[in-house]
Amino acid sequence: MSDEPVTEESELSTVVDLLDDEHVRSILVETSAEPLSAAELSERCGVSTAAVYRRTDRLVDADLLRERTRPRPDGHHDTVYVATLERFELTIRDGDLSWTIERGDTDVADELTRLWGKF
């Protein structure tokens, strides 16, 4: 797990904007329990698949969600999503505002797959 203090105002704004969306919060909660495809998220969160993709794209860009590949028995594969956000903390104390995002460890196999896909 990484516990990195975040210093960029733009990242704070992005995270707060994302977490303001109830469907984003549902996606993060569901994917914190197990990797899920867009279709599975659509069913569990009660939104269209297109709406899931819009939100997952934004979550992946913000590094709050990670894409993984799940093989299927028919030889094809599905893209599934896993939450990386473990904790978001905002502290206001003694005239200071600070915040921290804790993200889960990066899976080495997932990172290699991601890098390989860029070639």
Side-chain angles (χ1 to χ4, degrees), residues 24-35:
V24 163
R25 293 191 305 269
S26 295
I27 288 169
L28 288 170
V29 168
E30 293 294 335
T31 57
S32 72
E34 64 181 311

Side-chain angles (χ1 to χ4, degrees), residues 3 5 8 43-44 48 65 85 98 102 104 111:
D3 183 6
E8 295 182 32
E43 184 177 311
R44 290 188 186 192
S48 70
L65 199 67
L85 178 65
S98 62
E102 292 178 12
E111 196 62 25

Side-chain angles (χ1 to χ4, degrees), residues 6-44:
V6 183
T7 57
E8 295 182 32
E9 267 320 297
S10 62
E11 188 174 10
L12 174 60
S13 176
T14 299
V15 171
V16 170
D17 283 348
L18 284 166
L19 294 176
D20 188 43
D21 182 331
E22 71 177 282
H23 299 302
V24 163
R25 293 191 305 269
S26 295
I27 288 169
L28 288 170
V29 168
E30 293 294 335
T31 57
S32 72
E34 64 181 311
L36 296 169
S37 68
E40 292 165 330
L41 284 167
S42 174
E43 184 177 311
R44 290 188 186 192

Side-chain angles (χ1 to χ4, degrees), residues 44-119:
R44 290 188 186 192
C45 298
V47 295
S48 70
T49 305
V52 167
Y53 279 120
R54 282 192 301 274
R55 287 166 173 89
T56 57
D57 286 346
R58 291 179 61 210
L59 286 164
V60 168
D61 288 345
D63 196 25
L64 301 179
L65 199 67
R66 185 161 291 123
E67 293 179 333
R68 288 189 180 165
T69 301
R70 178 174 60 194
R72 293 189 326 216
D74 64 4
H76 293 89
H77 66 276
D78 292 322
T79 298
V80 293
Y81 300 93
V82 179
T84 60
L85 178 65
E86 291 185 350
R87 180 179 172 158
F88 173 72
E89 182 177 332
L90 180 70
T91 305
I92 301 172
R93 183 177 314 145
D94 299 326
D96 270 341
L97 173 83
S98 62
W99 56 287
T100 304
I101 294 178
E102 292 178 12
R103 292 177 171 95
D105 289 332
T106 302
D107 182 277
V108 175
D110 287 339
E111 196 62 25
L112 288 173
T113 301
R114 185 185 65 76
L115 290 172
W116 184 254
K118 289 187 174 186
F119 288 112

